[in-house]
Each structure stands twice: as C-alpha cells, then as structure tokens.
Amino acid sequence: MSGPKPYYVTTPIYYVNDAPHIGHAYTTLACDVLARFMRLDGHRVKFLTGTDEHGQKVEKSAAAAGMAPQDFTDRVSRNFRDLAAAMKFSNDDFIRTTEPRHIASAQAIWRALDAAGQLYLGSYAGWYSVRDEAFYGEGELSDGPGGTKIAPSGAEVDWVEEPSYFFRLSDWEGRLLDFYDRNPNFIAPESRRNEVISFVKGGLQDLSVSRTSFGWGIPVPDNPDHIMYVWLDALTNYITAVGYPDTKSEDFSTYWPATLHMVGKDILRFHAVYWPAFLMAAGLEPPARVFAHGWWTNEGQKISKSLGNVIDPLHLIERYGLDPVRYFLLREVPFGNDGDFSHRAMVGRMNGDLANDFGNLAQRVLSMIQRNCDAGVPAPGAFAAADSALLDRAGGLRDRLRAELGAQAFHKALIAIWEVVGEANRYVDDQAPWTLRKTDPARMATVLYVLAETIRRLALVTQPFMPDAMARLLDQLGQPETARGFAALDGALEAGTPLPRPEGVFPRFVEEAADG
Ligand code: MSP
C-alpha cells in the first residue's frame, strides 16, 4: 500500500478497581498527542484504550462495594470513558475485556498456544500479589511487618497453591534475547531496555497462566475449572481490537504489528517479555515498540490512597483548564523520567510559557493587525533576511517534531516549539511594528504578515498538545477546518483574509480567585 505508514498506538487497559487518577490520564494523554500528530501528518491512525476488568483484584473490589462483578465493572469502566471525554482523548476504540469480541479473542490465543504445544497442566505453589496481579519468586521478596512478604513494587504477596496451566516461557529466553538484539528500538528508554535484557538473561521460568481459586475471568477453553490468568487475558486486548482471531481482516493487516504500546515502568516486564513470547508462540508478530514512562509524585510525595493525595484529573481541569494541564504534564518532565506535580510548577508554566510567551505573542500581533490592517491579513512586500529566517524556523518545526515524537520525546518537541515562540517575540521587539506604523507602513505590513504566518505555523504544530486553544487561534487566523492538517504548512496565509476580533487563548492563573 502506498502513502504514509499506518500508525497503531495503545494505552494499557486500566484496572476497574479504582477511580481514574493522574497516572491514567498521563499515559493516555501521551498516546493522544501521538495519535493526533500522526493524523494531522496524513497517517491512518488507530488509537486504542480501554479497561481491564477481570482478575482477583477487580473481583475483590466488587465484593467490597457489595456489587456483582459485572455491575461493578460497568460502573467503573464508565468513569474511564468519562475521563477520556473530559481530557478530549481522540481514541478510535474503547475496549473492555468483558466484551464478547475479547472473550472470543482471548480463547483463540489460548487455543493457538495450546496447539503449538506451549501449554501444559501442572500446579502452582508460590507467591502471588493481588495488587500487582503478578507471581513472584522467593528471591524477589523482602520481609514486611508482621511476618508478611513484600514484592519489589511494595505490594503484599500471598502464598498460593492451586492447579494451573503453565506457558513454556523458559523455552523463549534465547529467542527473546535474539529478538531484542535484532530490534534495538523495541524497548525504550535505553535504560529500561537494559533492565529487561538482564532480567531475561537471568533466566526465565515457565509462567502460570490459569487460576482455579476464584472465578472472575475468561474460562479456559475445554477446561472451565480454570480461568485465564488476567495478564494473558489483558495483553490480548491489543489484537482483539484489530480483529483477532481474524488475522486476514482489513484492520489486522493494516495495523498489526502495533507501532507502539505505551506503558508505565511498573508494567514493562509484562509487555516486553511475556507479551512478545506469547505472540511469537502463537505465530504472531510482536509489536514494533514498547515505551515505559515514569511515575508522578504529588508535591514530592508518592501518590497513594492511604496518604489521601491522589490527584483527580477532573479537579485539575476544573482548576487550571484542560489545555494548560495537557501542556504541563508533557512539558514539565522529560518523558521516561519520574516527575513531581506541584501547584507552583503548574502555575509557573501556565502563566509563563502559555500566557506570557505564546499568549502575548498571539494577542499583540493579532490586535495590531486588527487595529492597523483593516482587520485582515496584511499584504507583505519582499522579505528581508530576518523575515525568511523566522518563517523558515517555524516551517522547520514539522520535521523537528516528527523526529522528537518518533522518539516519544514530548518535552523536546515542546521545547522546540517554544524556541520559535521566543524567536518570534524577539523579532517583534527588534522590528518594532508600532514604530513602523508611522515611519514605514509598508514594512509594518510585511512584519505583521510574517508574524501572523509564524503564529499560524506554530498553531498548526501545537494542535496535538492543546487542541482547544489552537483551534481558537486558528479560528482567529481565519483558517477553515480543511486547512488545519500539516499539509497546510506547505502553504501560507492569504493576504486580505478577514480576521475576527482577537481574544486571548491562554488565561493567566490568578491565585486569589482559586483560593476563595
Ligand atoms: N491493567 C493493567 C494494565 C494491563 S495492559 C494489558 C494495569 N492497570 S493500572 O490501572 O494499574 O495502571 C495503568 C497505568 O497507569 C500503568 O501504565 C501505570 O504505570 C500507570 N500509573 C499508575 N500510577 C501512576 C503514577 N503515579 N504516575 C504515572 N503513571 C502511573 O497496570
């Protein structure tokens, strides 16, 4: 097929044991920016998110809420959909692991693994953490209070003994190492890749992939005493959504293997070790890349329910507005590192980068045009060197962003955009169009044209990050919906286009008002 490569990006599917928090919003936001960018850049895009609804953790939470698991998951899953709407996530699908399409797909991968001789029946005796839904070896644990054992994640583990099917993970050590070797971009960032490789080199044991001591899960085909291990069930969502087991379907052939699975660092092992092993064992290709991002703390503290410092993304949006929150989360912390949320840092970005730097640039330029150019795009004369330099810098952003976002370096993409914002602000000061108004009106028109065109280019490439504010800015530049894809970067503003009265797109955060 010709044209740009199809792009398939996925978020982890979220456990429905709890309300959505900033960590969930963060992972999906990163994927949303990539999906929007790739669509604007002309790719066919599939962006998937959803909820992980089976397993012991969800079963326990439902019991604690006094509800049947299906009713409970219906309710909590809805909260994740509501979050997606509030954050303006542009996902093309929302998958729930309790849907018939997924149950069929999970049972199909089970059959494929079984047919390939990759499963055998045995019994599991060992440690299990319900919070992590993960099995741990004795050597990974430390002693907790009151004789308890604690996993590296900090979660308590229980001793479990039950009949179980096993997946022959130990057979895959060599093939996984070989796969990592041949696909150096499969795991990012680099430091995480090294961790995974040393984990696999340390030796892999067969993995328990079914449970018998509780019932909330997908029945194992032909042996309904067992339900599938929730991670085998959950990981399969990525292929369910493209039509598995119909590997000949249009969606599967277009979008599989996925371009990118975005995950938090805590669940990298499942995605970078177990998942490619399951896929290869079932005769399917592994995804092209898994990126593990870092974790947020709140004002320097680990976020936890017991500390009562969980950050609700809906509260952030209410307080600061959606676009500033989207900007902050991707600008503040180099993507891949851990980061700290603080009110002070949030307001600093909002009032500095947004209101002062970008907001004032747009407001100054558009008001000058409104007052001095008959409320329309002025007709430029010949460009001077400084004019072309600025326009070229703004025009070069598309390539720069392709590279930075191709590496999931969101912060670098934003820094690159703000370098041009800074140059445009210096250009305004250097050219002083308010002085030219009296001394050289023709030159003033050229300067204002160059600035308006620079702002148009900035607004186009910033859309994936802040879709609302940039839509309003493009409205103020008289740009129709049809001129908002990146192909529009090959064109330029047309002189004489009427421009509506400008309105600020980035409000300042005023402390008193919020504290009241
Ligand atoms: N259900 C599994 C994923 C299955 S994917 C086949 C799961 N769900 S989760 O709801 O517990 O977590 C989902 C994501 O939220 C993870 O990527 C995790 O890293 C992320 N975060 C949870 N807390 C976080 C922070 N405090 N900061 C950033 N991300 C965090 O795991």
Side-chain angles (χ1 to χ4, degrees):
M1 222 178 72
S2 60
K5 262 178 89 173
Y7 188 82
Y8 179 27
V9 60
T10 67
T11 76
I13 48 172
Y14 302 108
Y15 285 128
V16 289
N17 62 313
D18 210 352
H21 60 64
I22 192 172
H24 307 124
Y26 184 53
T27 317
T28 313
L29 170 62
C31 296
D32 182 58
V33 169
L34 295 173
R36 287 175 181 273
F37 184 89
M38 297 308 279
R39 286 189 201 106
L40 290 166
D41 210 14
H43 295 256
R44 287 176 70 184
V45 170
K46 186 169 182 85
F47 166 23
L48 175 70
T49 187
T51 43
D52 187 353
E53 308 195 356
H54 291 127
Q56 213 169 353
K57 170 150 95 171
V58 171
E59 191 185 73
K60 277 191 166 180
S61 303
M67 293 175 79
Q70 187 65 61
D71 295 339
F72 180 74
T73 57
D74 287 348
R75 187 180 78 188
V76 184
S77 179
R78 159 90 15 223
N79 297 337
F80 282 90
R81 273 185 200 255
D82 292 348
L83 175 72
M87 294 284 298
K88 301 242 163 109
F89 293 147
S90 62
N91 50 295
D92 301 289
D93 193 355
F94 186 101
I95 191 165
R96 301 182 55 188
T97 54
T98 48
E99 289 174 68
R101 62 169 169 164
H102 179 68
I103 294 167
S105 159
Q107 291 183 328
I109 198 172
W110 182 281
R111 288 204 170 89
L113 293 172
D114 197 24
Q118 292 290 323
L119 302 177
Y120 62 91
L121 187 58
S123 72
Y124 179 77
W127 298 101
Y128 190 78
S129 156
V130 176
R131 196 181 88 187
D132 299 348
E133 295 284 19
F135 302 94
Y136 288 104
E138 185 79 43
E140 295 178 274
L141 305 176
S142 55
D143 291 325
T148 54
K149 295 271 186 189
I150 306 291
S153 62
E156 253 190 47
V157 294
D158 303 312
W159 183 260
V160 170
E161 283 189 31
E162 60 187 3
S164 172
Y165 284 93
F166 285 83
F167 169 69
R168 297 186 191 282
L169 184 62
S170 58
D171 281 4
W172 290 90
E173 203 178 300
R175 276 173 287 184
L176 281 170
L177 291 171
D178 183 51
F179 174 73
Y180 304 145
D181 206 43
R182 280 183 290 112
N183 297 279
N185 293 322
F186 175 63
I187 304 168
E190 187 70 23
S191 57
R192 301 273 170 220
R193 172 181 152 83
N194 298 332
E195 278 172 29
V196 169
I197 291 176
S198 48
F199 171 74
V200 174
K201 281 190 174 155
L204 295 175
Q205 298 193 346
D206 289 351
L207 182 70
S208 165
V209 287
S210 76
R211 306 287 316 267
T212 41
S213 50
F214 66 97
W216 183 237
I218 297 180
V220 163
D222 310 321
N223 192 348
D225 292 346
H226 291 247
I227 55 169
M228 287 173 64
Y229 172 41
V230 65
W231 272 100
L232 173 55
D233 161 348
L235 287 161
T236 304
N237 92 87
Y238 301 130
I239 53 176
T240 302
V242 289
Y244 188 77
D246 184 1
T247 53
K248 299 277 181 292
S249 69
E250 155 98 25
D251 250 21
F252 197 94
S253 26
T254 307
Y255 291 116
W256 196 259
T259 321
L260 176 68
H261 291 326
M262 182 68 80
V263 300
K265 62 181 182 179
D266 53 317
I267 56 173
L268 179 60
R269 188 182 294 183
F270 299 95
H271 285 82
V273 181
Y274 303 163
W275 182 226
F278 292 152
L279 286 165
M280 290 193 277
L284 299 168
E285 270 185 83
R289 184 171 168 91
V290 179
F291 190 105
H293 66 67
W295 272 46
W296 285 91
T297 49
N298 184 1
E299 307 279 349
Q301 275 194 316
K302 187 174 165 20
I303 296 178
S304 84
K305 263 204 288 193
S306 48
L307 288 173
N309 65 348
V310 173
I311 302 176
D312 178 348
L314 299 178
H315 288 166
L316 292 185
I317 298 170
E318 211 174 287
R319 188 164 201 205
Y320 304 110
L322 176 60
D323 281 332
V325 170
R326 290 177 58 114
Y327 175 79
F328 176 84
L329 290 175
L330 294 177
R331 173 63 186 83
E332 185 66 8
V333 179
F335 200 70
N337 295 4
D338 291 338
D340 185 45
F341 185 90
S342 78
H343 171 70
R344 210 185 129 102
M346 173 77 227
V347 173
R349 292 279 175 207
M350 192 173 163
N351 290 351
D353 303 7
L354 299 184
N356 287 351
D357 298 345
F358 201 156
N360 276 350
L361 170 69
Q363 189 61 15
R364 289 211 272 183
V365 170
L366 294 174
S367 326
M368 263 186 281
I369 292 178
Q370 192 68 208
R371 274 184 271 113
N372 302 305
C373 310
D374 295 328
V377 175
F383 290 144
D387 308 341
S388 306
L390 181 61
L391 289 171
D392 289 349
R393 287 278 284 148
L397 281 173
R398 171 175 43 184
D399 281 344
R400 182 73 191 278
L401 265 55
R402 280 176 181 157
E404 302 296 9
L405 293 180
Q408 291 79 48
F410 300 93
H411 62 298
K412 288 192 189 165
L414 287 168
I415 289 169
I417 296 173
W418 259 256
E419 278 167 13
V420 178
V421 169
E423 278 176 36
N425 274 318
R426 279 189 294 280
Y427 173 94
V428 182
D429 294 340
D430 291 348
Q431 302 293 327
W434 48 88
T435 310
L436 294 171
R437 187 164 69 98
K438 299 187 203 96
T439 57
D440 188 349
R443 176 65 194 152
M444 177 200 72
T446 305
V447 166
L448 290 179
Y449 178 88
V450 168
L451 283 163
E453 173 58 19
T454 300
I455 293 168
R456 186 186 72 99
R457 294 178 186 185
L458 286 166
L460 286 170
V461 298
T462 308
Q463 291 176 99
F465 295 91
M466 295 185 281
D468 284 351
M470 293 306 113
R472 271 182 282 138
L473 196 48
L474 289 165
D475 288 345
Q476 295 179 31
L477 288 162
Q479 298 304 292
E481 288 293 336
T482 49
R484 295 184 183 192
F486 290 165
L489 288 163
D490 301 322
L493 278 173
E494 222 173 290
T497 308
L499 299 182
R501 178 182 290 281
E503 276 169 33
V505 293
F506 290 125
R508 293 184 66 78
F509 186 87
V510 184
E511 207 65 54
E512 296 78 43
D515 289 346

